Amino acid sequence: MTTDAPPRPKARAPRGFQDRRADALATERRILTAVSRVYESYGFEHLDTGAFEYADALGKFLPDADRPNEGVFALQDDDEQWMALRYDLTAPLARFAAEQWDSLPKPFRRYAYGPVWRNEKPGPGRYREFLQCDADTVGSDRPEADAEIIAMAVEGYAAAGLPRSAYALRINNRKLLNGLLSAAGVNDAGQKLAVLRAVDKLDRLGPEGVTALLGAGRKDESGAFTRGAGIGSAATDAVLAFVEAGRDTRAGTLDRLAQVIGGSPEGDEGLRELSLISGALGRLGVGEDQALFDPSIVRGLEYYTGAVFEADIALEAVGERGEPVRFGSIGGGGRYDDLVARFTGQRTPATGFSFGVSRLAAALAAAGATGERTRGPVVIIALDGALMSEYFAIAGELRAAGVPAEVYLGTSGMRAQMKYADRRLSPAAVIVGGDELAAGTVTIKDLDLGRMLAESVADNRTWRDDRPGQITTPRGELVAQIRRIVEAAS
RNA sequence: GCCGCCUUAGCUCAGUUGGUUAGAGCGCUAGAUUGUGGAUCUAGAGGUCCUCGGUUCGAGCCCGAGAGGUGGUACCA
């Protein structure tokens, strides 16, 4: 027995890529629609760009001969130029704005949504393909532009269905810490980067851990050692006082920041910007609990030059085994004044925010905030192959009346067809056999009513004899009866 | 990238000291019920015991390497 069948491929999605079915897609679409409406109400125009960009347009992560796929999914075009799937929506905007600058109304305000791709290690809530929804203003250096972006983000989360207590935007300004470090004599770029990384871990490691990372370094429980920034103890104290300057109100934090910032042109500039943002947020009606100043917010992206924003979600959720689930950041953004200049050489101030749509959808689903399952169509039971044309006529009538309907196209018996309608969560099934046809009637089963009545029926004999939720009506009343059932179901 | 743990049916898992034909629950398919979902009962289908190599008369079980997953850590434009 030597059959040389070719090896069968294993049916599996690449890791970090997910299949999303109707329920998840409905949640995503609802979020996208709601957030887009908010962006449009502020005057942002819709823009879409292609999934690929030339790699040099995406920034410093140029594919090289050794590791062309580091961080991004890249491939070589037939003219040997490297192209890469976009890893966010900001870099393509910078490219577009630079390319079209002369023909654009300025400041240029656009929103965009779509998938982005990152070729990195996937984890829980971390995929290699996910949806973002961004709004950016290019060509305004007014802090009010930042404030408006923040206000839209806050409004967007509310529109997406998050309860007000479940999220907040935390706002910081890169210039504050930069100025503080200059004043403290820390000017080395590598050290500054290490300080940012240390500060970013405040919520996880606490002040002690951050102190260690600012100084000599830190050994974690597993024994791995992380080298510290190596700044002096005076600078360390200044940084700690700074990151712990957050207060309950924006004005309170500003006052405290003024005390600890140490006096430097850049730091003062940062303070002035935050102050203007604070004033604008007040006038835009953004509550103190929705947008607060938090000096420990860093954001990884190195291209941010001023204000930075991050949205945290505080939804309580538990996984399948009752363990608490953390969703982390569900959005972020900030000011990037140098990104367009990479192309044009001219400094072009810009600011924006990015919704993590996939994460937000996952969080909403896990928190049970979107319990609804998408309903199936009215199913026309195909009892008799000779009557198929009648079945399609019925489906057509229902569709014309605005009711989703489908004729069962399998070859199974009635039991399987009813099961099919049940699994699709259909509101109703239509049964037409020889009896109905002869009598000029149709039999309609209200599946929701049946689902309800089933709870009080223990034995199957009764269940089948009673035919709960089932009525037989004249053929002419079909559409009206179905409509009544469907409207009750929605 | 580094460290730990894990990998047996579609899913969750059990599998004795290394010993016959690898099991359970759930799910799936069908029947009990000529044209009726749920519940119940019955039956059936479903397996590269992650892969490769080694030890052994004999490996799901022991040893080695690799892959995948997972948790932590690093990185995250």
Side-chain angles (χ1 to χ4, degrees), chain A residues 352-373:
Chain A
F353 184 83
S354 175
F355 267 81
V357 177
S358 301
R359 259 196 204 176
L360 184 55
L364 283 170
T370 61
E372 282 174 42
R373 278 191 51 201

Side-chain angles (χ1 to χ4, degrees), chain A residues 173-176 178 266 273 301-308 334-339 347-350:
Chain A
N173 193 313
R174 280 280 167 84
K175 293 177 182 173
L176 296 172
N178 272 334
E266 193 175 8
E273 290 174 8
L301 317 193
E302 281 181 57
Y303 59 62
Y304 290 129
T305 54
V308 287
R335 179 162 280 283
Y336 50 97
D337 288 344
D338 299 329
L339 215 48
R347 182 178 166 280
T348 308

Side-chain angles (χ1 to χ4, degrees), chain A residues 152-216:
Chain A
M152 287 195 304
V154 167
E155 212 173 300
Y157 284 116
L162 273 187
R164 186 184 171 112
S165 62
Y167 69 96
L169 243 74
R170 299 175 183 279
I171 301 148
N172 192 12
N173 193 313
R174 280 280 167 84
K175 293 177 182 173
L176 296 172
L177 189 55
N178 272 334
L180 181 145
L181 289 173
S182 307
V186 178
N187 291 304
D188 179 74
Q191 279 189 318
K192 283 187 169 181
L193 192 60
V195 170
L196 286 181
R197 285 176 187 155
V199 169
D200 196 28
K201 296 182 175 64
L202 178 67
D203 57 339
R204 195 153 46 83
L205 303 179
E208 304 78 28
V210 173
T211 304
L213 284 173
L214 289 173

Side-chain angles (χ1 to χ4, degrees), chain A residues 291-317:
Chain A
L292 37 121
F293 292 150
D294 183 343
S296 69
I297 292 301
V298 171
R299 300 293 301 163
L301 317 193
E302 281 181 57
Y303 59 62
Y304 290 129
T305 54
V308 287
F309 333 124
E310 187 163 300
D312 296 320
I313 187 163
L315 273 183
E316 289 291 321

Side-chain angles (χ1 to χ4, degrees), chain A residues 20 65 101 127 131 136 141 143 147 168 208 281 283 319 334 342-343 369 373 401-402 412 435 460 475:
Chain A
R20 286 120 66 221
W101 192 244
Y127 303 102
L131 280 180
D136 294 82
D141 57 5
E208 304 78 28
L281 285 178
R283 289 192 297 280
R342 287 188 52 240
F343 300 97
R373 278 191 51 201
S412 300
D435 298 348
N460 188 255
R475 174 73 172 76

